[in-house]
Amino acid sequence: MDDALNREIEELRLLMGSPKDPHGRVFAQLGDALRRAGRLDEAAEVIAGGLDAHPHYTPGHLALAWVEMERGHVQDARDRFTRTLDLDPDNPFGLLGLGQILVLAGDESGQEMVDRALELHPGAGALAPTMPAEQ
């Protein structure tokens, strides 16, 4: 793991629960950094704990969806992407993730979701984590 990512994780850990994070929502960023570091189980634990306190926090559900995809838990990822879209129907990353899962499952409606995601945020495909089947 690179030093910059290690520093980011440690800075986010220090920020979590501090006066600079008065609402306790940095858990999603910390979980995403842990995911990028390949620490998937730890990322899932951090995000799930944060979602216990903030069940309507869309970025948390989205971060956990990508973690679950990388863990190979496709149904859990699908559930989290769906929850993201329940909270924010036009979330391009939620649309992209769920759409990609549906495409991989052979569901033609998935491509419509991917197209809608890219319409809403043309850079979403480049910014979103890579789906395991695409690696």
Side-chain angles (χ1 to χ4, degrees), residues 61-125:
H61 289 283
L62 187 59
L64 189 52
W66 291 113
V67 168
E68 295 299 0
M69 277 305 301
E70 289 192 21
R71 290 169 83 187
H73 302 164
V74 178
Q75 186 57 53
D76 291 336
R78 184 177 180 159
D79 293 345
R80 290 298 172 170
F81 284 126
T82 299
R83 181 68 178 133
T84 297
L85 295 171
D86 288 345
L87 295 167
D88 180 6
D90 288 325
N91 185 294
F93 297 99
L95 287 165
L96 182 66
L98 183 57
Q100 288 176 331
I101 288 172
L102 293 174
V103 166
L104 292 172
D107 184 331
E108 293 179 15
S109 69
Q111 189 59 52
E112 294 171 19
M113 294 180 94
V114 170
D115 293 344
R116 176 75 177 133
L118 297 175
E119 178 183 307
L120 291 167
H121 191 304

Side-chain angles (χ1 to χ4, degrees), residues 15-27:
L15 183 61
M16 205 162 102
S18 77
K20 291 183 179 181
D21 181 33
H23 301 292
R25 293 187 177 154
V26 78
F27 72 88

